[in-house]
Amino acid sequence: EESGNVAGCHTSSIKQQNEKLVSRAIGNNMLLEVCVDTPRAAAVAVAHGAGRVELCADLAYGAGGTTPSYGAVAAAAAALRRKQQLPRGGQLHVLVRPRPGNFVYDEDELAAMLEDVAAAKRAGASGVVLGALTRDGRVDVAACAPLVAAARPLSVTFHRAFDFVADPASALEDVIALGADRVLTSGRATTALEGAPAIAALVRQAAGRVCVMPGGGITAANVAVVRELTGATEFHASATKWVRDDTITVVGSATLASASCVQRWEGDACSTRACDVDKVVALVAALKHQ
C-alpha cells in the first residue's frame, strides 16, 4: 500500500486527496480541527480557516458529544460543498459515540456504531471519530477493528477515550495496529496544556506512524505553547458561543434541561450555540505565525 506523510501524520493511498490538501490550509503544515454541533457551524468554521471539523451532537451539557443524526451529517456535507466548492464531504469528520459516559460498549451499542459508521459514509463524511475500551482500561481492539474496517476508505480518528486508558504507551501501539490515522488526546490531563509533556512523549513514540492531535482547552492564547511543547501539527479546539435571539417569544419559565444539567447550560429557549468566528480566526492566526 502506498503511503505518505502529511503535516507530520500518517496517511495512506485510500484517504481522499482532498484531506491531504486541506491539511495544508494553515501555514507551516499546521491544521486546526474545530468541534461543532450544527451544519451551519461546520461551514462557518471552515470558511474562516479551520482545516477540518468534527460534527457531534450533545455538546451543550458537558457530555463530550454523541453521534449526530444522519440528517445533520448530510446537511453539513452539503453546506461544506456549497461554501467551499470542495469534493464530497472533504473536511467533515463525524463522531461515532452511542451515548455519554464510559467507553465500554455492549454488543447492541457496537452494532449501532457500525450502522452509524455506514450512515456517515452515505451522508458524505470524509472521516469518523470513534473509540472503545475494555473494562480494565485497554483499547478494545476486538470492538474497534470492525469499526475501522467498515469506515474505510474514510479517515479514522481514535477519540479521547484514549485519555482513560491504563497504559498510554501500550494503547498508542494498539491504535497504530488498528490502522487509525490519528488519536485525539489531552495527555490524560484536564487540558492539553497541562498534559503537554505526556502528549510530547506520544508524538515521539508515534514517530509519524499515527498523528497525535492535542485537544482539551485549546485556545488562541495557548495553542502556540502546546505546539512548541508537544511537536504536534494538528490541534482540536471548540470555538463556540451562545447566541441569544430576543425576537423569539417564550411564555413561562420551563427549561428543556434536566435539573442535573440546568446549572451547566449557558443557553435558554431563546438561545442557540454557534461557531465563534473570532475564536476560529484567532486560533488560525496563532498557528499561522508559528
Side-chain angles (χ1 to χ4, degrees):
E1 182 181 48
E2 180 185 350
S3 63
N5 191 288
V6 177
C9 300
H10 170 75
T11 62
S12 67
S13 59
I14 61 176
K15 291 184 65 180
Q16 297 182 10
Q17 183 65 24
N18 180 262
E19 191 82 359
K20 297 177 183 179
L21 294 174
V22 299
S23 69
R24 297 183 176 91
I26 297 174
N28 303 323
N29 287 332
M30 299 293 111
L31 182 142
L32 173 66
E33 176 181 276
V34 174
C35 186
V36 299
D37 55 4
T38 67
R40 177 174 174 77
V44 169
V46 170
H48 289 85
R52 183 170 61 235
V53 292
E54 180 194 0
L55 182 66
C56 310
D58 298 324
L59 291 174
Y61 307 124
T66 58
T67 308
S69 71
Y70 176 90
V73 179
L80 290 181
R81 292 198 301 273
R82 286 196 307 270
K83 295 291 185 181
Q84 304 297 319
Q85 292 81 50
L86 292 171
R88 191 170 184 265
Q91 300 159 304
L92 177 64
H93 286 194
V94 174
L95 177 63
V96 177
R97 185 185 181 204
R99 55 164 171 77
N102 67 52
F103 301 101
V104 179
Y105 299 119
D106 62 29
E107 290 183 5
D108 292 333
E109 289 170 327
L110 291 171
M113 292 169 75
L114 273 173
E115 293 290 340
D116 286 334
V117 168
K121 292 174 74 172
R122 291 196 304 272
S126 61
V128 293
V129 181
L130 53 83
L133 303 180
T134 63
R135 293 185 179 278
D136 58 353
R138 293 178 291 112
V139 172
D140 192 337
V141 175
C144 290
L147 297 171
V148 174
R152 296 305 187 192
L154 306 190
S155 180
V156 176
T157 299
F158 193 95
H159 59 45
R160 285 191 62 194
F162 189 88
D163 286 327
F164 298 89
V165 299
D167 182 348
S170 177
L172 185 65
E173 294 302 323
D174 287 337
V175 169
I176 292 169
L178 282 168
D181 299 285
R182 66 189 55 76
V183 57
L184 172 63
T185 179
S186 66
R188 300 199 303 171
T190 303
T191 68
L193 182 59
E194 294 173 21
I199 297 171
L202 293 170
V203 170
R204 291 192 296 271
Q205 178 185 341
R209 295 176 295 162
V210 70
C211 176
V212 178
M213 179 169 62
I218 295 285
T219 68
N222 65 28
V223 68
V225 176
V226 172
R227 187 258 179 267
E228 171 121 14
L229 292 175
T230 64
T233 55
E234 295 190 3
F235 304 86
H236 175 95
S238 174
T240 59
K241 63 181 178 180
W242 284 99
V243 178
R244 183 177 175 83
D245 185 348
D246 288 320
T247 66
I248 296 175
T249 299
V250 176
V251 178
S253 57
T255 177
L256 296 178
S258 67
S260 62
C261 290
V262 68
Q263 295 302 316
R264 291 182 290 169
W265 190 31
E266 299 175 39
D268 57 27
C270 294
S271 302
T272 186
R273 283 166 55 91
C275 179
D276 190 323
V277 171
D278 291 340
K279 289 180 181 178
V280 174
V281 170
L283 279 159
V284 171
L287 285 173
K288 190 176 292 185
H289 289 98
Q290 276 299 290

